[in-house]
Amino acid sequence: MELLNLAKIRLQKMRESELESLMDDVYSFCGKHEILLPKMDDDYPRSKRKRSGVSYLHHFHVEVFYAIIDLQLQELNNRFDVVTSDLLLGMASLNPVDSFANFDKNKIMKLAGYYKNDFGDNQLRDLSYQLDSFIGIKDLAIVMAKTKLDQTWSLVYLLVKLTLILPIATASVERAFSSMKLIKNDLRNRIGEEFLNGCLVCKIEPKVFATISNDAIMNSFQRMKPRRVQL
């Protein structure tokens, strides 16, 4: 999260004050390779029939330079919004490395607050008391399960399980949606749900299907129903 914040600050600084140095690099590169540059005060040609009223400098500055940086900042904000940032920071606060050096009760409580079904008002209050005495438990989930501390510190253990499941669950959902965009495209936009599910399984679990021979797959299809030709 610190790297994310630094990246956003760096992009903002670049947007505000580094166009001139970038243009200097462009001039140097074009001069070295004998590339002809337009006069920045001339109109940028949008159409052959009429003047655009926009100079080359304005086009490169606003419509290219600003637009690209704003797009990158927007992508970072969309990917790491407030909720995602709170989840990641809360999960990091439960990391047992260096005797829980990153432990932060407030961030953990904020993480738990997003799971209303598991942590109601009473559970949140009890979790707050448990976290006050939580530091000192080593190796977290494994030790808690082996020593039955998951029963004593039930809410802490529930939160630990959620943080362990969340990255996998999120990645699985992202992978499924990415696969769906590839399979259900413009040419196959009427694909049935059952067929789509079958295609998604093949796409999402390629390592499993790599262990199955083509003959076994064809034999399975052949046995499903009578066919005009032998597969």
Side-chain angles (χ1 to χ4, degrees):
M1 298 308 298
E2 291 177 357
L3 290 174
L4 172 65
N5 290 331
L6 286 174
K8 292 166 69 173
I9 292 172
R10 184 71 182 87
L11 285 170
Q12 187 62 38
K13 181 180 178 182
M14 184 186 301
R15 188 185 191 280
E16 294 172 355
S17 61
E18 297 190 14
L19 174 66
E20 186 175 348
S21 63
L22 176 62
M23 294 300 293
D24 290 340
D25 292 339
V26 172
Y27 288 138
S28 175
F29 177 86
C30 292
K32 180 180 179 180
H33 296 280
E34 300 181 353
I35 299 173
L36 182 63
L37 281 170
K39 294 181 179 179
M40 291 298 147
D41 293 334
D42 289 350
D43 278 358
Y44 179 75
R46 298 188 188 278
S47 172
K48 295 181 179 180
R49 297 183 178 180
K50 59 181 180 179
R51 296 167 60 89
S52 66
V54 174
S55 66
Y56 275 95
L57 180 60
H58 181 275
H59 169 70
F60 291 136
H61 190 176
V62 177
E63 299 177 354
V64 178
F65 184 70
Y66 279 176
I68 291 175
I69 292 181
D70 289 345
L71 178 63
Q72 292 176 328
L73 286 170
Q74 186 63 46
E75 286 291 326
L76 289 176
N77 289 330
N78 290 341
R79 178 65 65 175
F80 300 97
D81 56 13
V82 175
V83 174
T84 304
S85 299
D86 288 343
L87 293 177
L88 291 172
L89 291 171
M91 292 162 60
S93 298
L94 286 167
N95 192 338
V97 172
D98 297 330
S99 299
F100 293 91
N102 293 322
F103 183 86
D104 189 314
K105 177 183 173 181
N106 292 330
K107 293 177 181 178
I108 296 173
M109 292 298 299
K110 187 175 291 186
L111 166 65
Y114 286 110
Y115 295 91
K116 300 296 184 182
N117 292 335
D118 298 295
F119 295 94
D121 293 337
N122 293 334
Q123 285 80 8
L124 284 175
R125 184 184 63 251
D126 293 341
L127 175 62
S128 177
Y129 295 144
Q130 291 187 16
L131 288 175
D132 289 335
S133 306
F134 176 60
I135 292 299
I137 300 176
K138 300 295 182 179
D139 295 326
L140 208 53
I142 297 177
V143 173
M144 290 181 76
K146 286 183 177 179
T147 59
K148 305 299 182 181
L149 287 174
D150 57 315
Q151 300 175 12
T152 305
W153 307 90
S154 57
L155 294 175
V156 175
Y157 187 66
L158 174 60
L159 194 60
V160 171
K161 289 196 295 183
L162 284 172
T163 60
L164 292 175
I165 293 171
L166 185 60
I168 307 301
T170 304
S172 299
V173 172
E174 290 279 354
R175 188 169 52 166
F177 276 106
S178 298
S179 300
M180 187 180 298
K181 291 180 180 179
L182 294 174
I183 295 172
K184 193 170 185 178
N185 52 35
D186 292 338
L187 297 177
R188 293 182 292 190
N189 58 359
R190 294 185 179 181
I191 187 172
E193 183 175 343
E194 184 178 355
F195 186 40
L196 175 61
N197 288 338
C199 292
L200 284 174
V201 171
C202 297
K203 177 66 178 176
I204 295 173
E205 303 294 345
K207 293 182 179 180
V208 175
F209 285 90
T211 62
I212 304 174
S213 66
N214 291 335
D215 291 338
I217 295 175
M218 289 189 290
N219 290 335
S220 296
F221 274 96
Q222 190 71 52
R223 290 193 297 267
M224 288 173 65
K225 64 180 181 179
R227 301 179 185 274
R228 294 183 181 180
V229 296
Q230 182 71 28
L231 294 178

